[in-house]
Amino acid sequence: MADSEDQAMKTLARHLSQAYTVLATLCLNLPVPVTLPTGAVSNVETVPAVRRIMDITEDQPMPEEQQALLFAACSFWLGGLDIYGLLIRDFHTARAHSAAANLIMCDDTMHDLIVWLADNQK
């Protein structure tokens, strides 16, 4: 891989990790808290956990709009991770931008949900 490709991969990996950390913290602050694996975890643990959040989103006692934000954040994060996996095998700049776009959307949806949660704390 070229240096620019290596740097793009490192940046995406860092962004995936940071977004997951925010998601895990967000989930601890849901009306019904959910604990995601943290620390030195791999995709073997994180992917099923994030998928499980998507499965139980409707069980959270929040308005439908906030449930949709949680579901979307998980979906965008998983999409970013999937694209990252493709990049490992076959790097292409457009694909790297697509992974980054997924992570930006993940960040934006999590931000909106975090604001709602902060405004609605008991």
Side-chain angles (χ1 to χ4, degrees), residues 61-111:
M62 307 185 290
E64 196 171 294
E65 180 180 347
Q66 282 66 41
Q67 290 175 344
L69 289 171
L70 178 59
F71 188 90
C74 292
S75 180
F76 285 128
W77 186 84
L78 286 169
L81 182 64
D82 287 347
I83 296 168
Y84 181 84
L86 292 172
L87 284 163
I88 291 171
R89 292 189 297 274
D90 182 26
F91 186 91
H92 191 280
T93 302
R95 187 174 281 154
H97 287 295
S98 183
N102 269 275
L103 295 172
I104 290 167
M105 292 302 298
C106 176
D107 290 345
D108 287 350
T109 55
M110 287 192 297
H111 175 266

Side-chain angles (χ1 to χ4, degrees), residues 1 7 11 19 24 29 36 39 43 52 59 62 67 78 89 103 111 114:
M1 249 185 217
Q7 185 57 44
T11 299
N29 290 286
L36 294 178
N43 298 346
R52 178 71 180 132
D59 298 334
M62 307 185 290
Q67 290 175 344
L78 286 169
R89 292 189 297 274
L103 295 172
H111 175 266
I114 290 166

Side-chain angles (χ1 to χ4, degrees), residues 52-64:
R52 178 71 180 132
I53 296 300
M54 292 174 75
D55 291 340
I56 64 172
T57 294
E58 290 182 347
D59 298 334
Q60 284 293 329
M62 307 185 290
E64 196 171 294

Side-chain angles (χ1 to χ4, degrees), residues 29-40:
N29 290 286
L30 290 170
V32 176
V34 179
T35 302
L36 294 178
T38 57

